[in-house]
Amino acid sequence: MKNQSLFSKYRSVVASFNDVKDRKDLLLKDFGEERIYYAPFDYVNPKARLFIVGITPGEVQMNNMLAEAARLIHQGLSDDEVLRRCKAVGSFSGPMRKNLVELMDEAGIAEFLDIETTAQLFSDKQDLVNLTSCIRYPTFAVKTGKEANFNAEIKQGTKLFDFAAPLTLEELNKAPNAVLLPLGPKVQHYLEKAVKGTNFENRLLPELPHPSGANAERIAYFLGRKT
């Protein structure tokens, strides 16, 4: 399924979005131990110099993305405009965004992009970045019938990898001059496998700690707040 047709398929569900807990009508794939849901993370910035890559959007990001997309649909915007404008609102949203900006500024990403701070990548410098994930659409681990945010290795040869990798390469090919910034070792390992043998193999930057609040100790160490 092409991204535009995916958005078209789920547009009415997105337009009536109310509660992220009630997401059964957005189910894309059910692999038993993982479930993937649709949220409009489809837009790819072809001018991007930097891809910031997480594992997958979590429930907070899914909620923020769907709420913003619904708001834009009700404003009467075109599908293309909805997809473009909601991307920066939903991607890496919530408390992790502050951590992400601090990590990238500490690592010199702002200097690399010739901007004052990487916070601008979410405001007036969105043209420089593409915000994405290994698994483009919100993915949840299923245990005893309950769903939790997915945070595991994406192993080659699994249905999850086979779903994710073609989308990753499709996205990268739309912005051939970008470098890739993985957030955390699991993302690094996935990208090493997904881009192996492609032109992006030499565009993979060293990983940053994942900006999740659950990773607070490693973030503090990276930022020099902890020995």
Side-chain angles (χ1 to χ4, degrees):
M1 287 181 286
K2 296 295 183 184
N3 300 333
Q4 188 64 35
S5 64
L6 265 185
F7 182 71
S8 299
K9 177 181 177 181
Y10 290 101
R11 192 180 192 279
S12 62
V13 182
V14 174
S16 60
F17 171 74
N18 183 50
D19 183 359
V20 74
K21 300 290 186 185
D22 181 18
R23 50 180 174 248
K24 60 183 183 300
D25 291 337
L26 292 165
L27 184 66
L28 263 179
K29 296 284 183 181
D30 188 344
F31 293 139
E33 294 184 351
E34 303 93 16
R35 290 187 192 130
I36 304 173
Y37 292 86
Y38 180 74
F41 287 88
D42 306 289
Y43 175 74
V44 179
N45 174 14
K47 298 178 181 178
R49 291 179 56 198
L50 177 72
F51 270 48
I52 303 173
V53 189
I55 293 180
T56 186
E59 192 170 74
V60 170
Q61 293 74 42
M62 181 180 182
N63 179 78
N64 293 344
M65 178 67 85
L66 288 166
E68 178 65 4
R71 186 183 73 83
L72 295 172
I73 288 171
H74 292 304
Q75 284 187 356
L77 274 64
S78 69
D79 289 3
D80 286 340
E81 193 67 6
V82 170
L83 289 171
R84 185 184 69 81
R85 287 178 56 176
C86 68
K87 186 77 177 279
V89 172
S91 299
F92 302 105
S93 54
M96 75 163 63
R97 187 173 291 185
K98 178 178 178 292
N99 291 338
L100 176 57
V101 166
E102 289 185 344
L103 289 165
M104 290 193 295
D105 284 352
E106 178 69 21
I109 299 298
E111 288 88 347
F112 167 69
L113 296 173
D114 196 26
I115 56 179
E116 290 183 13
T117 169
T118 54
Q120 293 174 273
L121 298 176
F122 301 96
S123 57
D124 60 318
K125 295 295 183 182
Q126 293 178 31
D127 59 309
L128 296 175
V129 69
N130 189 63
L131 308 167
T132 191
S133 301
C134 302
I135 314 170
R136 181 186 296 171
Y137 303 109
T139 301
F140 298 87
V142 182
K143 294 180 181 177
T144 62
K146 295 184 178 180
E147 296 177 353
N149 284 342
F150 179 86
N151 188 29
E153 292 275 358
I154 305 168
K155 296 180 180 178
Q156 200 164 9
T158 63
K159 291 180 179 178
L160 202 56
F161 185 93
D162 292 344
F163 173 87
L167 291 175
T168 296
L169 292 175
E170 172 197 289
E171 202 162 332
L172 293 175
N173 286 325
K174 290 180 180 178
N177 297 317
V179 296
L180 316 180
L181 179 64
L183 303 181
K186 292 167 186 171
V187 177
Q188 177 97 27
H189 298 158
Y190 165 81
L191 287 174
E192 286 172 351
K193 291 176 283 192
V195 305
K196 188 174 178 61
T198 73
N199 293 334
F200 291 95
E201 200 168 7
N202 297 321
R203 292 179 174 268
L204 188 56
L205 298 174
E207 67 182 84
L208 286 184
H210 195 277
S212 165
N215 205 24
E217 209 163 298
R218 191 158 181 246
I219 292 169
Y221 174 77
F222 187 89
L223 296 174
R225 296 172 184 161
K226 180 181 174 118
T227 57

